[in-house]
Amino acid sequence: MGRNPVTWLGSPTFPRAARTALGDTQLRTNLRKATTTIRAKRARAVAELADWERLRRAGEAIKNDVLANLDTYLVRLEEAVTARGGVVHWARDAEEANRIVFDLARAKGADEVVKVKSMATAEIGLNEYLRARGVRPVETDLAELIVQLGNDRPSHILVPAIHRNRSEIKEIFSRAMAEPPDSDDPRVLAEAARRHLRRRFLSAKVAVSGANFAVADTGSVVVVESEGNGRMCLTLPETLITVMGIEKLVPTWRDLEVFLQLLPRSSTAERMNPYTSVWTGVTPGDGPGEFHLVLLDNGRTATLADEVGRQALRCIRCSACLNVCPVYERTGGQAYGSVYPGPIGAILAPQLAGDMTDKQAASLPYASSLCGACYEVCPVRINIPEALTHLRARAVEARPKHTAEALAMSSAGWVFRDPRRYEAAQRAGSLSRFLAGSDGTIKRLPWPGSKWTSTRDVPAVPKESFRMWWRRNRG
Amino acid sequence: MDSARSDILARIRAVPRRQPAPVPRDYDTARSVEDPVGLFVERVEDYRAVVRRVSEDELPQRIGDCLARRGVSNMVAPPDLPESWRWAGTRWSLDEPPLSLSEVDSADGVLTGAAVAIAETGTIVLDAGARQGRRMLTLVPDYHLCVVRADQIEVSVPEALRRLDPTRPLTFVSGPSATSDIELDRVEGVHGPRTLEVLVVDI
């Protein structure tokens, strides 16, 4: 088994990537505008529903039920899809899933596949896999197209080109399209994308999609989108291949009444997204004659085994947590070096990658101020701060034992074990106030403390400890 | 392939699990508003779609008005579209025998009915049933004129889902095709119909 492509090969650790991103003022301007706009819109959309909190609790409980009975529901889904003329495949990892999709496309003689925007296929690096074997993947979501044509990487779960402004997009289109747009008006740019993709939709033989939900009882698969590119891919080609993480189930049709309210309002801050498609197996005479559903594990069962970390599998990929996160707002998504950026990415990506000895993956749980805003907006109540601190502990455990931090911690333990040593250390510590400025904070400590103060100030230690004060006044 | 299936199921079963608490269903499973039809109209308009309320009797004429205003000459429609809806000033291609993709692509627009509508979200649901035809018809042409009867309108999402059969191919349409991918500016129409017009028939 190869390396899991969920984190990008060669990405620097988060602190290093963040430092670079913070220096990009254009990026910060784009991001601030986008996240502030969407935050305000979302708050209005959510305020319309008086039962929002109850919907969140129901969403959380339904997904917990799914995780507790995942084997039962997966088998039920498989039966229902098969009974309606679909074919179900199981994939343990990225390599296996990619090979299934490639073999199916090849069997149809397709040298091009049209794609609906999908986090699952991004997670397994499907595009790279297909391209290396002579099958051209064509992204059809406008933002994914911008990213693809710009040889760029996505920076947001929902609006992957959020880091680009209109003039940058015009430039990318002008370079890549046969009929370049003649202005940077979003209307003109969207029209250029329409023309660019129209013929491909009408001639494609094979389409690849993800799934927002699948209903175990009925075998129905759901894709939520805005532009109609999803409907094009799900309707016109002869063969449809859907790659779906095994956790994206809901048990019954009725459960969708919860998620079709939670998802659009949390993600695009709309009452409902423009298009939602639901299909069950194949319908003769209407849509693809062949339907394949690939059930993807790729680190999910390992995540399920972690009692605290498993709640990340409740995620419905709405990206509300990105838009409220002060860290994401300043660094953008690419700094996370993973398919899943932002707060959810910080807990999902390292778990799916499954390797806490990897410095980049292990740095992600630290990409947070633990302010808790992500937990508050999450429509399925994932306690992201709790998972972050839990994963930080796992990252520390996985670290080699001779680091500066490990040494410091073990000497601190030695100091804390003896009251006399502790008081002596306190007296020594209070000397550090001579390093402080007039505002009582220390801007720069000598090494190794400099690693701490390079990103934050430290309050000076008071002249007198509580123990000394107590002895002087009450002793 | 079989071994992947049994491996994944075995990994899941190896995890010690407790049955979680039952799902609290205390959210609203139905909502009442004074004027569901009025709310539907208002919410569809929010997506910058054109909505008009008409009576049963005037429906054929109002369909004609819409087509004339748009200047369309070539419409496609599901095979069971009522005769009276087919305004005489336009050429109609019914999807029987099935039209080819290029025939649908070269049409100016499509006229259909609907299965269910949702007032709160301004959504029309198509289920390939009566007066709707297969999914391609409402997707490829650039203009979709849709007739919704007032008694098809439910207030909330839960009420609408109860009326639908999940095994049919379903399409939920909330306004015309739109994108917000460029600086979060909403632009109508990327790939689906760029113009959606709705005639709501008061019963």
Side-chain angles (χ1 to χ4, degrees):
Chain A
M1 194 184 98
R3 177 189 157 276
N4 191 338
V6 65
T7 52
W8 298 328
L9 187 64
S11 287
T13 57
F14 183 82
R16 279 184 53 208
R19 198 181 302 277
T20 316
L22 287 171
D24 184 343
T25 51
Q26 173 77 66
L27 175 78
R28 290 182 68 172
T29 310
N30 294 359
L31 280 167
R32 190 172 53 243
K33 182 168 170 257
T35 52
T36 327
T37 309
I38 204 161
R39 276 204 300 269
K41 251 188 93 184
R42 182 199 157 275
R44 282 198 299 275
V46 163
E48 273 185 10
L49 295 187
D51 59 343
W52 184 256
E53 277 312 307
R54 281 168 279 154
L55 284 167
R56 282 179 81 209
R57 291 199 182 265
E60 174 188 20
I62 291 167
K63 281 292 181 182
N64 281 340
D65 173 28
V66 167
L67 296 180
N69 299 290
L70 193 54
D71 50 341
T72 313
Y73 292 140
L74 283 171
V75 171
R76 197 173 292 169
L77 175 76
E78 178 183 46
E79 282 166 9
V81 170
T82 311
R84 302 276 307 183
V87 183
V88 175
H89 309 258
W90 300 70
R92 279 168 286 216
D93 53 38
E95 165 72 27
E96 205 160 31
N98 286 330
R99 200 175 56 242
I100 292 167
V101 177
F102 172 73
D103 287 347
L104 289 168
R106 185 42 63 83
K108 295 288 139 198
D111 57 4
E112 182 170 290
V113 300
V114 287
K115 287 194 64 213
V116 193
K117 175 179 161 359
S118 136
M119 295 309 295
T121 60
E123 175 192 316
I124 59 176
L126 177 66
N127 287 1
E128 293 75 12
Y129 187 98
L130 291 178
R131 210 177 289 121
R133 287 159 187 79
V135 174
R136 212 164 38 252
V138 179
E139 292 293 351
T140 63
D141 169 80
L142 180 56
E144 286 286 357
L145 181 71
I146 294 166
V147 170
Q148 190 174 47
L149 295 181
N151 294 317
D152 194 2
R153 272 173 166 159
S155 64
H156 192 281
I157 290 174
L158 192 81
V159 272
I162 198 170
H163 57 295
R164 298 288 199 181
N165 59 25
R166 59 186 74 192
S167 62
E168 292 174 300
I169 296 167
K170 175 176 183 266
E171 234 181 271
I172 292 168
F173 280 9
S174 299
R175 254 182 280 128
M177 287 179 179
E179 298 172 71
D182 57 9
S183 119
D184 65 3
D185 178 351
R187 240 158 257 287
V188 174
L189 296 172
E191 173 66 25
R194 183 185 179 92
R195 278 200 311 272
H196 180 77
L197 287 174
R198 188 77 174 179
R199 206 168 11 88
R200 297 203 143 103
F201 282 132
L202 301 188
S203 64
K205 285 191 170 56
V206 176
V208 177
S209 85
N212 291 95
F213 307 101
V215 182
D217 271 2
T218 64
S220 311
V221 183
V222 184
V223 162
V224 168
E225 51 128 2
S226 296
E227 297 168 6
N229 64 304
R231 290 178 65 193
M232 288 277 187
C233 295
L234 303 170
T235 310
L236 301 182
E238 293 155 23
T239 301
L240 169 62
I241 307 166
T242 299
V243 182
M244 178 189 119
I246 50 173
E247 83 286 15
K248 304 225 95 179
L249 282 162
V250 296
T252 69
W253 174 247
R254 189 190 168 185
D255 296 322
L256 284 180
E257 73 189 19
V258 174
F259 294 104
L260 287 186
Q261 297 190 78
L262 287 175
L263 180 56
R265 289 179 199 261
S266 298
S267 57
T268 49
E270 292 168 300
R271 296 184 180 114
M272 191 65 95
N273 49 291
Y275 298 130
T276 298
S277 296
V278 182
W279 71 98
T280 308
V282 295
T283 306
D286 186 354
E290 226 179 274
F291 169 53
H292 297 268
L293 181 62
V294 182
L295 299 174
L296 175 73
D297 179 344
N298 202 37
R300 285 163 176 76
T301 48
T303 306
L304 184 71
D306 186 314
E307 208 174 329
V308 180
R310 82 166 60 120
Q311 57 186 317
L313 296 176
R314 290 207 297 265
C315 176
I316 57 173
R317 315 281 188 261
C318 73
S319 70
C321 61
L322 276 61
N323 303 321
V324 298
C325 176
V327 176
Y328 176 90
E329 182 181 327
R330 284 159 181 83
T331 65
Q334 295 182 342
Y336 295 79
S338 103
V339 169
Y340 300 102
I344 186 64
I347 62 169
L348 191 58
Q351 294 196 89
L352 293 181
D355 182 8
M356 278 299 190
T357 61
D358 177 279
K359 278 190 176 166
Q360 196 271 332
S363 76
L364 292 178
Y366 293 88
S368 168
S369 62
L370 298 179
C371 75
C374 47
Y375 182 22
E376 265 174 57
V377 294
C378 178
V380 286
R381 295 171 43 86
I382 300 170
N383 190 337
I384 297 177
E386 180 191 45
L388 283 167
T389 46
H390 168 74
L391 292 174
R392 286 180 187 187
R394 276 186 47 194
V396 170
E397 279 163 28
R399 233 176 261 173
K401 299 299 170 215
H402 51 74
T403 60
E405 188 179 356
L407 267 173
M409 287 299 163
S410 70
S411 47
W414 179 77
V415 170
F416 285 141
R417 269 195 300 278
D418 182 292
R420 271 172 310 155
R421 271 181 276 186
Y422 179 65
E423 273 187 53
Q426 271 187 331
R427 273 193 301 279
S430 73
L431 289 174
S432 71
R433 72 183 186 278
F434 294 115
L435 295 167
S438 53
D439 59 354
T441 62
I442 301 168
K443 310 268 188 241
R444 199 173 299 144
L445 281 172
W447 192 90
S450 60
K451 293 187 85 170
W452 178 264
T453 52
S454 68
T455 49
R456 34 175 113 52
D457 296 340
V458 186
V461 179
K463 193 173 166 187
E464 192 176 45
S465 73
F466 174 74
R467 282 161 166 263
M468 286 162 75
W469 176 89
W470 180 266
R471 208 169 288 136
R472 193 157 53 78
N473 287 286
R474 311 280 164 90
Chain B
M1 193 185 96
D2 280 334
S3 67
R5 181 183 191 276
S6 51
D7 273 6
I8 292 171
L9 289 174
R11 288 178 197 171
I12 296 168
R13 286 169 186 151
V15 175
R17 288 164 292 164
R18 281 188 308 261
Q19 278 311 309
V23 175
R25 299 279 179 184
D26 55 353
Y27 55 83
D28 302 342
T29 48
R31 296 196 188 103
S32 67
V33 292
E34 229 166 75
D35 174 18
V37 180
L39 181 64
F40 175 71
V41 169
E42 179 196 313
R43 295 281 155 96
V44 177
E45 276 172 345
D46 274 357
Y47 299 121
R48 300 182 205 161
V50 180
V51 196
R52 291 185 178 78
R53 294 178 71 154
V54 303
S55 71
E56 187 92 60
D57 293 342
E58 60 182 355
L59 177 63
Q61 182 55 48
R62 302 302 285 272
I63 291 172
D65 294 347
C66 288
L67 301 181
R69 199 173 28 249
R70 219 182 136 74
V72 296
S73 55
N74 175 17
M75 291 284 286
V76 293
D80 58 347
L81 196 80
E83 183 84 50
S84 66
W85 291 17
R86 291 179 230 155
W87 186 56
T90 302
R91 186 162 72 81
W92 293 91
S93 307
L94 298 187
D95 190 32
E96 193 177 65
L99 298 165
S100 71
L101 183 52
S102 64
E103 283 170 313
V104 180
D105 187 36
S106 60
D108 295 326
V110 59
L111 171 61
T112 70
V116 176
I118 309 169
E120 257 181 6
T121 59
T123 304
I124 294 162
V125 190
L126 307 171
D127 71 353
R131 300 168 181 185
Q132 296 156 69
R134 55 196 175 120
R135 284 171 280 178
M136 184 218 282
L137 296 183
T138 51
L139 168 65
V140 176
D142 203 18
Y143 169 59
H144 182 193
L145 178 58
C146 186
V147 177
V148 176
R149 287 199 325 272
D151 62 358
Q152 292 179 313
I153 299 173
E154 295 284 354
V155 175
S156 68
V157 171
E159 291 160 281
L161 290 192
R162 273 203 293 276
R163 278 177 66 165
L164 292 164
D165 174 357
T167 61
R168 302 187 70 95
L170 303 175
T171 307
F172 293 61
V173 176
S174 309
S177 159
T179 184
S180 303
D181 281 346
I182 302 168
E183 297 184 16
L184 296 178
D185 258 4
R186 189 178 172 99
V187 174
E188 280 77 45
V190 189
H191 305 296
R194 281 180 285 194
T195 308
L196 173 69
E197 291 195 329
V198 185
L199 294 173
V200 180
V201 183
D202 283 304
I203 305 287

